[in-house]
Amino acid sequence: MSLETTLPGATPTPPKVSSIRALIARMVANPLGGVIGAMILIFGISCLLSPHFLTSFNMIIIARALAFIGLVTIGQAVLMILGELDLSVGAIGGLAGVVGGMLMVQVGLNPWLSLALCLLMGAGCGLLNGLLITQLRLHSLVLTIGMAGVYGGANLVATRGVAITGVPHEISFLGRGLVLGVPVPFLVLLVCLTVVAFVMMRTPVGRYIYAIGSNPQAARMLGIRVNAIRMGAFALAGFLSALAGILMVARLGTAQPSIGDTWVLSPIAAAVIGGVATTGGLGSPVGAVLGAVIIGIIEDIIVLFGISPYWQSVVSGGIVVLAISLDSLARHYLNRDAS
Amino acid sequence: MKKALFLGAVLAVTPLAAQAADTSTPLRFVLIPKVVHPWFDKLNTGARAAADMITKTTGQKIEIEYRAPQTADVSSQNDIIERAIATHPDGLILDLLDEKGNRATMDEAIEQKIPMTVFDSLPPEGMNITAVGADFCEQGTIAAERLATLIGKKGEVAIMMGVPTAPNHTLRAECEKKVFAKYPDIKVVATGIDNDSIETGQKQASAIMQAHPNLVGWVACDASGPVGIGQAIRESGKAGKVQEVGLDNLNDMLQLIRDGVAESTASSRPEMQGYWAVVSAWQSAMGQKTPKYIDTGIDVITKKNL
C-alpha cells in the first residue's frame, strides 16, 4: 500500500457510475464519508423519534460526555494507526485523576500546578508503556493489559477505594463550565483534536506514523526512528487520558477511583467505526472522534427512548455492527462495480 | 412508627392531591439505580407495585421508567441522570453511587425544577431531598453479631468486601470489623473482594478457605458475595462446619438458606424501598412536603421465616 493512499486527505478517484450512485460513491470514496453518513442518519432518526433529542440541554449533555471519551479516543486512534494498542489508557486516566485529587486536597498544592503534574504523570505512564514495549520487544496488547493492572492497582492502593473529596472550586469550570453555551471539556477536545489532526496530516511525524503503521520494516529501512515515534505516541495517549481524568475530576468535584473504568473498549470501538484499521496505517483521529460521536448519540437515544437496561448493550452493539457493515458493504459494492 | 405516621399523612392528603391534579396525564418517574443488578430488579418490582396502588386508589396513572447504568461508575450514572433530565420527567428516583460525585448533576435537576427522591443512599449535604432506605451499618452489625453468636464468639472468620469503591459496601465492612473487634477470641484472618460478582465471590471464598483451613465463619458486604461464598462452602463440603450469614435476599441466597448452606441473611427490603420511593416521588410531584428519611428496616431471614 502506498503512503499517499493511506493519508486521510488523499482520496482515490471515484468510479464513474450513475448519479445517485455517484453521490454514494463520492461519500464512500472519502475516508470519512461512511462515518459522516452514518452519523447524519442516526442524528436525523433521533431528531424524528424523540422530541427531547434536539434541545440545547441535550446537545450540551452529548457534547460534554463526548469530550472525555473523545480525548482518550484521539490517543488510542493514533496508536492504532501506528499498529499499536493501549489497554491501560482508562487506568492512567483514573490514576491521574486521583493523584490530582490527592495533590490538591491532601498535599495542598496549587490546583494548576497539580493539574500540570498529573498531565506529566500521565505522559510518563504512557512513555513507560512505550519504553517497555519497544525495548523489551513486547506486544502492546499484552503489556498494556498488565500495566492496566499496575496503574489500576496503584489507584486502589492510594485511595483504598474511597473517593477524594474537597477538590478546589477553582478548577470546577474545567469540567462544568460553559463558554458561549459550549461545555469547556468539549472545547478542550476540539483544541486537542485540531492539534493532533494537524500533526497527523501536515507534518513529517504524521506521515511517519502512517508509514510505520503500514509497514514498520520498510519505515525503518527508510531511516524513520520507529521506536522513538512509537514511544511518543504512547506518551501522547497517556497525556490525553490524564487530561480526560483531570477534566472528569473537575466535572464531578471529587476524585473517584472508578474514573476511567469505561474508557477501555469504547475508544477502540469509536476508532474502528471512524475508519481506523486495527492492523494500522489507515484512518484518522478526526474519523475516530466522529465514531465516538456516533456512540455518544446511540447512548443518548437509548436513555431518551427508555430502552430496557437489559437490551441496551444489544441495541448499541447492533447499531455499531450495522454502521460498520453498511460502510464495508458499500465499499465492496462500489469496488466490484468499478472493476 | 415513622412509616405509620407518613402513611397516615399520605392517605390524608391523597384525596386533596388527587382532586387538584389532572389525572388524565400520566406522571412519569425515572428510576435510576446504581447498576444493572437483580437487587434493583426487586426494587423495581416494588416501585411498580406502588405505581399500581396509586393508580387504583386515585386514578392517577404513573409511569415508571427504569434506566440502569451498565457499570457502577459515577460518570456513567451522571450521564444517564442528565439524559433523563433532558426528557423532563415528573420526578427522578435515584440510588446515588457517590453523593458528592453526583452533586453537580443533581444541581442541574434542581435548576430544571425536577423533584428528586433518593433510595439506598443519602442525598448530598444541604439538599432537602427524601431518602428511603435502611441503615447500612446496622445491616452489617446484625450480620456480624449473628455470626459471632453462631460460632460461640470464638474462631477465625473472614469478610467478603463488595466493591472497594462503593461507600455502602465499605461502611458495612467497617461495622462488621467493629463487631468482631469486640470479641477477643474472634480473629478476622482474611478479607476478599468480590466486586459484587457471584463468580468472583466464589473464587475468592474458595481460595481463602484453602489458605485458612480453620476458618469457621463468613459475612459479606453486598448481595452477590454471599451467594458466591455459599457456593464455595458447598463445593468444599464444609456446609455446617463453616457458618455463613449472608446479606440481602437474592433468590440464590434464599436457596442457600433452604439448603442449609447459609444459616441466615440480614436483608434490606428492596421491594419496600422501591415502593416508598415512588410514594414519596408522587407526593413531591403533587407539591406535598415529604419526610427527610423513610427507614424501611432490615429483615433477618432464616429457614424458619423464609
Side-chain angles (χ1 to χ4, degrees), chain B residues 33-266:
Chain B
K34 285 191 172 89
V35 69
V36 174
H37 193 282
W39 191 89
F40 293 111
D41 291 343
K42 286 175 175 271
L43 187 134
N44 191 21
T45 305
R48 287 171 195 284
D52 288 346
M53 179 279 291
I54 294 165
T55 305
K56 279 178 191 160
T57 315
T58 67
Q60 172 66 62
K61 272 195 155 187
I62 305 278
E63 288 175 2
I64 306 288
E65 289 182 13
Y66 181 71
R67 296 174 185 177
Q70 299 290 316
T71 54
D73 166 57
V74 182
S75 55
S76 303
Q77 190 182 41
N78 281 342
D79 286 346
I80 291 182
I81 296 171
E82 283 185 324
R83 284 159 185 160
I85 292 169
T87 66
H88 298 288
D90 295 294
L92 287 172
I93 301 171
L94 311 169
D95 185 359
L96 306 177
L97 272 161
D98 179 345
E99 74 274 13
K100 291 189 177 73
N102 291 118
R103 180 167 200 134
T105 312
M106 294 175 78
D107 284 335
E108 287 172 19
I110 290 169
E111 275 173 30
Q112 302 279 327
K113 296 187 169 49
I114 298 169
M116 287 178 285
T117 303
V118 303
F119 64 91
D120 193 39
S121 53
L122 293 173
E125 216 174 290
M127 275 193 189
N128 190 19
I129 294 171
T130 297
V132 181
D135 186 330
F136 299 125
C137 185
E138 186 189 353
Q139 192 181 9
T141 303
I142 288 172
E145 286 285 9
R146 194 166 179 91
L147 181 67
T149 307
L150 276 173
I151 61 174
K153 295 175 183 169
K154 62 179 179 188
E156 294 183 358
V157 298
I159 299 172
M160 185 65 79
M161 308 266 287
V163 181
T165 53
N168 53 340
H169 298 181
T170 314
L171 183 59
R172 285 175 187 139
E174 279 172 16
C175 294
E176 287 165 354
K177 282 178 188 167
K178 275 183 193 163
V179 169
F180 295 136
K182 283 195 315 188
Y183 302 107
D185 294 333
I186 294 181
K187 193 177 171 193
V188 179
V189 292
T191 49
I193 289 176
D194 61 50
N195 285 321
D196 215 348
S197 150
I198 292 173
E199 188 192 355
T200 311
Q202 184 181 7
K203 280 186 207 162
Q204 291 260 319
S206 297
I208 287 171
M209 285 194 288
Q210 288 281 327
H212 300 280
N214 298 325
L215 196 82
V216 292
W218 274 103
V219 285
C221 301
D222 61 19
S224 303
V227 178
I229 293 168
Q231 290 176 352
I233 291 173
R234 195 191 331 244
E235 273 180 11
S236 62
K238 290 187 173 178
K241 293 175 197 156
V242 176
Q243 301 289 343
E244 182 192 6
V245 178
L247 219 68
D248 288 332
N249 61 349
L250 294 187
N251 291 341
D252 289 348
M253 184 71 238
L254 301 182
Q255 190 58 46
L256 285 168
I257 296 171
R258 271 188 209 104
D259 297 346
V261 178
E263 189 273 338
S264 58
T265 182

